[in-house]
């Protein structure tokens, strides 16, 4: 069961790109061991919200608290320091490096000798541990990432996010590059991450997936938070009405195509 301990709190956060109000006065909480589904139409502000939490963008207004403390997230390293990791749609991997190198990309373990050397054995051991924990069989860890399938690359990206046991994982369209076959196992993996103690913000256009895995769903529309619903007290149709801004206009029929994307 999801606890009510707040891990992240965003208070009145706004982000402008020139005249574009990408986010306007958004306040939301992410609770401990919760999967929060964040949905909205194109340009609603979803990626902007995740980028603010991951230190890619600075908000123009508002505050972010992590476990009650003002988090002052000004760059990606700040986000990592407070336990927030991100898995991007295109995985952000280096295809011509091997699996271990990708898991440790930018955070290689080093040891001091006459020269600073990469602590290869230790990195291999840690990478193998994380992948085993994810039930991920990717073959030899010396395999180049470019030789892996989309689903396998996704696992490398998740393993990288798990390297320092984050409190929070942000996922922006994580299934966009996956084959249909790979999606269901991926959703199971996300549920397992929650069971192991992570809190997750999950952004996707695939609404049935969002409804399947989320505890709570937040809808953004044109930069504003327009609905916040427990998964069990909403429906696909209602979420679509909020996304489209027709929740108060009588529930006109929405095609299955709109719902299933
Ligand atoms: N770096 C940027 N510079 C200028 N405008 C931006 C930038 N990033 C986002 N925007 C604008 O902010 C608004 C919100 O964009 P955002 O990418 O957050 O939407 P989104 O909900 O993630 O959409 P999508 O579902 O298409 O990914 C859009 O109008 C977009 O054009
Ligand atoms: Mg986006």
């Amino acid at each position: 069961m999801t606890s009510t301990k707040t891990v992240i709190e965003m208070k009145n956060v706004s982000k402008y790109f020139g005249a574009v109000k990408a986010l306007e006065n958004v306040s939301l909480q992410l609770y401990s061991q919760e999967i929060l589904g964040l949905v909205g139409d194109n340009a609603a502000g979803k990626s902007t919200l995740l980028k603010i939490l991951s230190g890619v963008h600075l908000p123009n207004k508002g505050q972010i608290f992590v476990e009650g403390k003002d988090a002052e997230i000004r760059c990606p390293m700040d986000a990592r320091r407070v336990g927030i990791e991100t898995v991007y749609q295109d995985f952000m991997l280096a295809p011509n490096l091997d699996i271990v190198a990708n898991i440790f990309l930018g955070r290689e373990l080093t040891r001091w000798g006459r020269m600073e050397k990469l602590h290869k054995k230790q990195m291999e051991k840690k990478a193998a541990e994380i992948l085993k924990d994810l039930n991920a069989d990717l073959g030899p860890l010396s395999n180049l990432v470019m030789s892996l399938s989309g689903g396998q690359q996704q696992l490398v990206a998740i393993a990288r996010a798990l390297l320092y046991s984050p409190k929070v994982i942000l996922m922006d369209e994580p299934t966009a590059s996956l084959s249909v076959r790979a999606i269901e196992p991926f959703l199971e993996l996300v549920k397992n991450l929650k069971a192991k103690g992570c809190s997750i913000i999950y952004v996707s256009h695939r609404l049935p997936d969002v409804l399947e895995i989320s505890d709570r769903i937040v809808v953004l529309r044109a930069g504003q938070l327009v609905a916040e619903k427990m998964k069990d007290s909403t429906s696909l149709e209602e979420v679509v009405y909020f996304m489209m801004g027709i929740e108060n206009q009588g529930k006109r029929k929405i095609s299955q195509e709109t719902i299933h994307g």
Side-chain angles (χ1 to χ4, degrees):
M1 186 176 149
T2 304
S3 88
T4 50
K5 192 176 145 220
T6 304
V7 182
I8 292 184
E9 177 165 26
M10 299 179 84
K11 271 194 183 164
N12 304 318
V13 169
S14 297
K15 175 70 186 172
Y16 311 124
F17 295 104
V20 176
K21 292 180 174 173
L23 287 180
E24 180 76 339
N25 248 350
V26 169
S27 297
L28 67 76
Q29 278 102 21
L30 174 68
Y31 299 118
S32 174
Q33 264 188 295
E34 174 185 48
I35 301 179
L36 178 66
L38 178 62
V39 298
D41 212 345
N42 292 115
K46 308 178 296 294
S47 296
T48 302
L49 190 148
L50 294 196
K51 283 176 181 168
I52 286 174
L53 290 178
S54 59
V56 174
H57 291 319
L58 269 177
N60 294 85
K61 282 197 288 188
Q63 280 174 299
I64 298 163
F65 297 89
V66 176
E67 293 185 327
K69 293 195 198 99
D70 196 342
E72 295 190 26
I73 299 171
R74 295 179 190 286
C75 64
M77 285 314 291
D78 285 347
R80 284 186 163 162
R81 181 177 44 74
V82 294
I84 300 174
E85 289 281 345
T86 310
V87 176
Y88 294 98
Q89 174 172 343
D90 55 3
F91 313 147
M92 304 279 269
L93 299 173
N96 54 347
L97 296 181
D98 69 19
I99 294 171
V100 180
N102 268 280
I103 291 176
F104 282 86
L105 209 61
R107 294 187 281 191
E108 292 81 359
L109 300 180
T110 55
R111 59 180 175 188
W112 294 96
R114 291 236 305 266
M115 278 173 40
E116 192 182 76
K117 283 190 185 163
L118 297 183
H119 210 319
K120 207 161 173 250
K121 280 246 152 57
Q122 211 175 315
M123 290 199 295
E124 282 168 2
K125 187 162 168 267
K126 179 76 180 164
E129 274 170 23
I130 299 174
L131 290 169
K132 183 161 178 263
D133 225 33
L134 287 173
N135 253 332
D137 183 7
L138 306 183
L141 296 184
S142 55
N143 278 345
L144 298 186
V145 156
M146 67 170 91
S147 71
L148 303 178
S149 71
Q152 290 174 319
Q153 294 191 19
Q154 173 75 286
L155 289 166
V156 175
I158 304 259
R160 183 171 65 178
L162 291 176
L163 193 54
Y164 291 111
S165 310
K167 297 184 193 93
V168 174
I169 304 182
L170 310 175
M171 297 186 175
D172 199 352
E173 299 287 353
T175 57
S177 323
L178 296 189
S179 66
V180 173
R181 219 160 40 119
I183 290 178
E184 205 48 51
F186 173 72
L187 297 179
E188 284 307 310
L189 186 150
V190 176
K191 290 183 209 163
N192 281 336
L193 293 176
K194 169 187 153 177
K196 286 181 182 155
C198 285
S199 307
I200 292 156
I201 303 184
Y202 189 93
V203 170
S204 176
H205 279 101
R206 291 177 53 96
L207 297 182
D209 295 354
V210 176
L211 263 109
E212 181 188 329
I213 62 167
S214 302
D215 299 293
R216 206 156 51 95
I217 295 175
V218 158
V219 184
L220 288 179
R221 190 168 72 230
Q224 300 196 356
L225 195 157
V226 292
E228 185 185 338
K229 294 272 171 184
M230 293 308 290
K231 187 260 291 285
D232 294 336
S233 62
T234 189
S235 63
L236 258 172
E237 284 78 8
E238 188 182 47
V239 170
V240 175
Y241 292 140
F242 279 114
M243 283 171 60
M244 296 172 73
I246 56 172
E247 66 274 14
N248 301 320
Q249 296 173 23
K251 311 220 157 164
R252 71 177 146 90
K253 195 161 167 47
I254 293 173
S255 73
Q256 288 301 300
E257 203 179 315
T258 309
I259 291 174
H260 294 283

